[in-house]
Amino acid sequence: MTKSGTKARSTSRTIDDLLADFGTTMPRKTAPPPAPPAEKLFPNSIKAHGVRRPGHGWAPTMPPLAGYQMTSEETPVLWPLISGDGLPPWGAEMGYDVLSGGKFYCDPMSWVLDDTIPVTNPNIFIFGKPGRGKSATVKAFMLRMIRYGYRSLVLGDVKDEYEDISKFLGVDPFRIGPGLPGRINPLDLGALGVDWEKQTAEEQEKRATIIFNRWLMLIRGLVGSQGVSFTPTEETVINEVLQDLTGWSAGASRLKPVTIPQVWAALHSPSKELVNNNRYENPQAFYDGTRPLRDALGALCKGSLQGMFDSESTFQPDWRAPIQTLSLRSLHATGNKVAVGIALMCLNSWGQGIREAAAAGDRRIVLRDEAWLQTRLSLEAVEALDANLRLSRTEGDIQIVTYHKPSDPLSAGDQGSQAAQIAKDLLNLSDVRILMGQDESVADELGRLMGLSEMQQNVITNWAMQEKGRALWMVGDQRYKVQTLLTPLERRLTYTNEAIDPAG
Ligand SMILES: Nc1ncnc2c1ncn2[C@@H]1O[C@H](COP(=O)(O)OP(=O)(O)OP(=O)(O)O)[C@@H](O)[C@H]1O
Ligand SMILES: [Mg+2]
């Protein structure tokens, strides 16, 4: 059987034989060229311990680096998982960098101090569609920075959503709103008024200038937000009124406290000097000329805002407490958005005054959540926020501002080119921007304003929309794809869906 089988196989015709009948042959693959001698990937490399040979010994320097040239598509094959310069493990541990798989830390003040990180101010702007986790990210950051000595000041919590955290930390939130007893005087002297008598005349002069400038900036914002122009004439009048009321123009050594109704009253029944100094012909001319200004200030003392910003402050911040929050929900609930914007402006100015003389090493996170409510009021309101943010470097605060979309700060007033320009400059006041999930419709706008590549825009419109807490972090010119993680306790403290969750 075997024999016959062998015979059968030996007589069978090969494919070549069969094809030969048709006058053709099988196409042959040409022999491959001889393989080049196997090359080592890293030739000439010397082990860190040097060469074990007489006369060689330990390497005094590190071995020379081998150079390679390849395209950016090829590099990840040899060096996978490296996505760019990582940030140092300093400050709040926020979550993880999905490109490198490493932990992601946030410590803006240390970033400013480190010249290798392209950040020159510690301000943070957070953008994101409602519900993507802007506030939760801020809350996690605040909580995690406590252990590094940071305390937080929430300037205007329009949803009272920082109250849970505040209570958890043992601090009673301060509430202001229609009918509530709390009062904030936006014209507080602030920290610069402390120990006034102990200062030299020169220092007092310097402090008075800062205080008057802050007040003027606030009044300009308040008046401008009601559509009343604040020209140099109005500025001079207000400046004089403020100097009179504080006693500064009469050479007083101590500045008297001032409130908005007092400023209003001084304009309502002007002194002879005020009329003459501002070159009005008579009190009636003054009265007529300053009517819009007076009415704009008067609006702060009636309606929704009555009893909130028109008398001495009743709130004395406890700077040793880990958090101080000023809740504005009851005002927000009235639905009067202009009033909320004005209230935020007053709180900002007050907050700035309170921080003006911060002791060195007093580290604070100052939050302006939902800042669009303020900046969309007017150009002056944008300028007021701009002035507040510029100070962070000198005061050592980390100022955080949250917005829905990048054009929110641009929606100031009537979109005049000046307003838009200042609002764009406002974006430049932060070197750290956190871009959370957004709809496609905002992607172009994001790309335009922030100089994002198409791929980065996609990160925001796709990847970041798939989970809460996902964001493209822009740290100077570096970009990180970060997932913020919340602990179970933080999830509870940051939960903001009570109103829409049937189980909640
Ligand atoms: N990283 C996260 N992991 C899990 N849940 C999160 C995360 N971030 C936010 N959430 C949850 O998502 C909900 C909405 O978050 P948050 O209130 O922070 O959104 P927001 O962007 O501030 O919205 P809005 O613009 O309405 O203020 C909250 O209940 C919060 O607990
Ligand atoms: Mg929020």
Side-chain angles (χ1 to χ4, degrees):
M1 181 68 195
T2 311
K3 211 176 167 188
S4 66
T6 312
K7 197 176 170 199
R9 226 179 290 140
S10 65
T11 56
S12 64
R13 304 176 70 201
T14 64
I15 292 181
D16 278 337
D17 296 336
L18 290 168
L19 287 176
D21 292 346
F22 298 91
T24 182
T25 53
M26 268 289 273
R28 289 264 174 261
K29 190 177 164 193
T30 50
E39 270 183 44
K40 280 164 85 186
L41 187 56
F42 300 105
N44 305 330
S45 64
I46 300 165
K47 292 198 179 88
H49 291 297
V51 182
R52 260 179 187 278
R53 229 186 296 148
H56 286 74
W58 296 76
T61 56
M62 290 305 283
L65 286 177
Y68 300 93
Q69 194 171 12
M70 60 190 79
T71 68
S72 50
E73 278 184 343
E74 290 161 349
T75 36
V77 178
L78 281 172
W79 289 279
L81 306 178
I82 297 176
S83 61
D85 298 340
L87 290 166
W90 300 332
E93 205 176 315
M94 296 304 295
Y96 60 94
D97 176 339
V98 296
L99 291 181
S100 68
K103 285 185 189 173
F104 185 85
Y105 296 80
C106 177
D107 190 357
M109 206 53 93
S110 304
W111 292 346
V112 172
L113 298 174
D114 184 335
D115 284 344
T116 61
I117 302 172
V119 168
T120 57
N121 71 66
N123 297 336
I124 305 180
F125 273 35
I126 308 187
F127 296 98
K129 201 185 161 190
R132 296 308 328 157
K134 298 183 291 294
S135 305
T137 302
V138 175
K139 290 168 195 167
F141 178 66
M142 285 174 165
L143 285 170
R144 294 168 194 184
M145 286 305 264
I146 291 177
R147 77 170 80 146
Y148 299 98
Y150 280 87
R151 300 180 167 116
S152 302
L153 174 64
V154 182
L155 285 177
D157 174 6
V158 290
K159 300 179 192 159
D160 288 8
E161 57 174 304
Y162 290 82
E163 291 202 342
D164 282 351
I165 288 203
S166 181
K167 285 178 190 153
F168 173 77
L169 294 170
V171 182
D172 272 341
F174 187 75
R175 288 203 176 130
I176 25 184
L180 295 177
R183 301 277 184 278
I184 292 282
N185 179 13
L187 301 183
D188 248 338
L189 289 178
L192 290 181
V194 177
D195 291 338
W196 186 268
E197 286 85 3
K198 291 188 195 153
Q199 311 304 323
T200 59
E202 203 182 327
E203 175 66 18
Q204 287 180 349
E205 180 85 35
K206 203 172 101 199
R207 289 185 173 203
T209 313
I210 299 175
I211 292 174
F212 287 127
N213 277 344
R214 168 163 56 83
W215 288 349
L216 271 180
M217 179 57 82
L218 171 72
I219 293 178
R220 176 201 302 273
L222 294 174
V223 169
S225 63
Q226 295 180 55
V228 174
S229 64
F230 197 75
T231 62
T233 315
E234 276 84 23
E235 183 167 329
T236 321
V237 171
I238 290 289
N239 201 14
E240 194 172 332
V241 167
L242 290 172
Q243 301 216 1
D244 284 349
L245 289 171
T246 49
W248 187 245
S249 49
S253 64
R254 170 140 199 89
L255 293 181
K256 271 191 275 173
V258 187
T259 59
I260 295 214
Q262 285 173 346
V263 177
W264 181 87
L267 295 174
H268 186 70
S269 30
S271 66
K272 246 191 220 143
E273 294 80 42
L274 191 61
V275 175
N276 294 338
N277 290 352
N278 288 285
R279 281 183 248 116
Y280 283 97
E281 276 175 17
N282 50 46
Q284 188 58 43
F286 179 93
Y287 197 77
D288 294 341
T290 57
R291 184 187 302 274
L293 183 60
R294 216 172 37 248
D295 289 349
L297 285 175
L300 282 174
C301 315
K302 54 183 190 240
S304 314
L305 290 167
Q306 186 176 11
M308 289 174 65
F309 301 107
D310 46 15
S311 59
E312 289 286 298
S313 299
T314 56
F315 176 52
Q316 293 304 327
D318 171 7
W319 287 130
R320 280 157 310 155
I323 190 167
Q324 295 279 283
T325 110
L326 291 145
S327 301
L328 273 182
R329 185 177 180 165
S330 53
L331 177 64
H332 195 229
T334 61
N336 185 344
K337 293 218 168 86
V338 175
V340 176
I342 290 177
L344 288 174
M345 208 167 0
C346 290
L347 287 183
N348 280 336
S349 174
W350 172 84
Q352 188 190 320
I354 291 297
R355 296 293 297 137
E356 260 157 5
D362 178 5
R363 297 160 158 213
R364 249 162 240 286
I365 299 168
V366 178
L367 171 67
R368 298 178 169 88
D369 205 349
E370 315 271 350
W372 59 277
L373 283 164
Q374 177 188 339
T375 51
R376 71 191 186 142
L377 285 182
S378 65
L379 169 61
E380 287 81 5
V382 181
E383 284 175 338
L385 180 63
D386 184 287
N388 291 159
L389 292 180
R390 279 179 197 280
L391 286 161
S392 63
R393 238 180 95 79
T394 43
E395 283 168 4
D397 289 346
I398 298 175
Q399 310 222 32
I400 308 183
V401 181
T402 75
Y403 278 111
H404 165 200
K405 52 185 195 300
S407 60
D408 276 343
L410 302 180
S411 51
D414 55 1
Q415 285 278 346
S417 60
Q418 199 189 356
Q421 192 51 47
I422 291 182
K424 271 190 201 154
D425 290 348
L426 192 69
L427 296 182
N428 292 331
L429 287 179
S430 71
D431 277 346
V432 183
R433 297 157 192 183
I434 306 174
L435 308 183
M436 310 200 84
Q438 295 280 8
D439 285 333
E440 291 281 349
S441 56
V442 243
D444 282 351
E445 185 187 319
L446 275 166
R448 234 183 10 259
L449 277 166
M450 310 265 167
L452 297 182
S453 67
E454 204 180 315
M455 198 197 270
Q456 289 162 350
Q457 284 185 30
N458 283 339
V459 167
I460 297 155
T461 52
N462 291 320
W463 175 78
M465 288 297 275
Q466 290 158 19
E467 288 275 351
K468 285 176 180 161
R470 285 186 175 180
L472 181 75
W473 284 58
M474 301 171 66
V475 178
D477 58 4
Q478 298 172 5
R479 313 275 186 266
Y480 300 90
K481 222 172 137 178
V482 178
Q483 166 80 61
T484 297
L485 294 178
L486 300 179
T487 62
L489 172 66
E490 284 169 343
R491 253 177 221 232
R492 225 177 55 230
L493 293 176
T494 61
Y495 190 69
T496 53
N497 292 341
E498 298 87 351
I500 49 174
D501 183 356

